[in-house]
Amino acid sequence: MAVNAFIFPGQGSQVVGMGRDLAAAFAPAREVFEEVDEVLKQKLSRLMFEGPAEELTLTENAQPALMAMSIAVLRCLEKEAGIRIADRAAVVAGHSLGEYSALAAAGTFALADAARLLRIRGNAMQKAVPPGLGAMAALLGVELDAAESICTEAAEGPDGHEVVSVANDNGGGQVVISGTATAVDRAIEIARGRGVKRALKLPVSAPFHCALMAPAAEAMREALAGVAVNAPVVPLIANVTAAKVTDPADIVAKLVEQVTAPVRWRESVATMTALGVTRFIELGAGKVLSGLARRIAPDAEALSCGTPAELEELAKHVG
């Protein structure tokens, strides 16, 4: 029998129209979207269903929207197909903001608290660095040690040391870097000079997962102190350690650290396979994480679920 890990996508997976068919087909999805709308005092679901894309992509909207989408899929699985994480998952994990989705799915956070936390997180991350001063770039066809070497060299600029570091080790030769715009530009040039297959700037509004996000980390420390945090029904594989965590205080500490630390996704997938996971099930928008899982753990099965048809297929497959 397959051993399942439920995984939850991060920023960049959002797309206009996500959740619309799910809400039309299933009451549990509608209930999730209505609760998040009410908590945030915003018709976030309308923005998800109808756009515009530029507004949905704003960090303060994309983060709670992606979480709402993931939890809507999960509630449909629970109530329509009888598939519960407590019974069917060995572990959960999520990429960056997806860690909050994973924790909401595992009962650590109430849905309303997860929505509020992600709105605070999105706002704080956006405000941490003035527009235009920070940047992120994807390096493709490079391994972690080579990317770290590129960042070390790029950090030394004509005016002294600048911030640039690995933000996401996504696996499959994909590493994302983050820092000041000038240092990221230098890193791209260095990478091209070293024969890196592709090095391109990402269309993001702030330099996530680097030291420049320190003010946002403090904002999350304060926000997390004000919510109930329960032990998850199954262990979380934490972004910052790529290791199991179940203690609520430890989870909070790692969520604060996560804002400035790299997402160790490649190692997280490796940890899950070492724990015996043979099937990765991505819940929510897009198929980014299931695609990465296939590249990192080619012997494991990887599925994604975000539409009524995919939900029906998953219910047959897992049920």
Side-chain angles (χ1 to χ4, degrees), residues 18-205:
M18 67 182 190
R20 184 174 53 211
D21 292 348
L22 211 63
F26 300 113
R30 291 194 294 276
E31 289 162 10
V32 168
F33 296 139
E34 285 163 9
E35 183 175 348
V36 172
D37 285 354
E38 188 177 336
V39 165
L40 297 181
K41 304 290 187 282
Q42 175 194 9
K43 273 287 186 184
L44 186 63
S45 59
R46 184 185 298 159
L47 184 58
M48 293 165 64
F49 301 165
E50 301 172 11
E54 314 82 69
E55 201 175 330
L56 177 60
T57 301
L58 292 174
T59 299
E60 65 188 49
N61 292 326
Q63 294 200 19
L66 284 162
M67 183 279 300
M69 176 64 186
S70 288
I71 300 305
V73 174
L74 176 70
R75 294 285 182 264
C76 291
L77 282 173
E78 289 173 340
K79 294 178 182 177
E80 301 293 328
I83 294 171
R84 297 172 65 248
I85 273 188
D87 304 327
R88 302 300 181 92
V91 291
V92 293
H95 194 288
S96 191
L97 83 89
E99 195 154 82
Y100 286 79
S101 308
L103 289 165
T108 294
F109 295 130
L111 174 62
D113 285 335
R116 289 189 198 98
L117 286 168
L118 286 171
R119 172 54 53 82
I120 292 166
R121 186 177 183 267
N123 278 325
M125 291 172 92
Q126 190 62 62
K127 289 174 184 170
V129 179
L133 293 189
M136 299 181 77
L139 306 182
L140 306 178
V142 67
E143 296 306 322
L144 179 61
D145 55 352
E148 288 174 336
S149 170
I150 288 165
C151 287
T152 299
E153 185 177 336
E156 301 309 322
D159 301 319
H161 187 84
E162 290 186 70
V163 171
V164 60
S165 58
V166 169
N168 306 330
D169 177 18
N170 285 332
Q174 183 190 118
V175 178
V176 175
I177 62 172
S178 182
T180 63
T182 49
V184 169
D185 285 341
R186 281 196 300 274
I188 289 171
E189 289 310 308
I190 292 165
R192 287 172 179 162
R194 293 189 185 182
V196 170
K197 190 170 159 188
R198 284 185 76 197
L200 62 158
K201 258 188 174 169
L202 296 176
V204 295
S205 53

Side-chain angles (χ1 to χ4, degrees), residues 229-240:
V229 185
N230 305 308
V233 294
V234 295
L236 172 79
I237 304 301
N239 283 183
V240 298

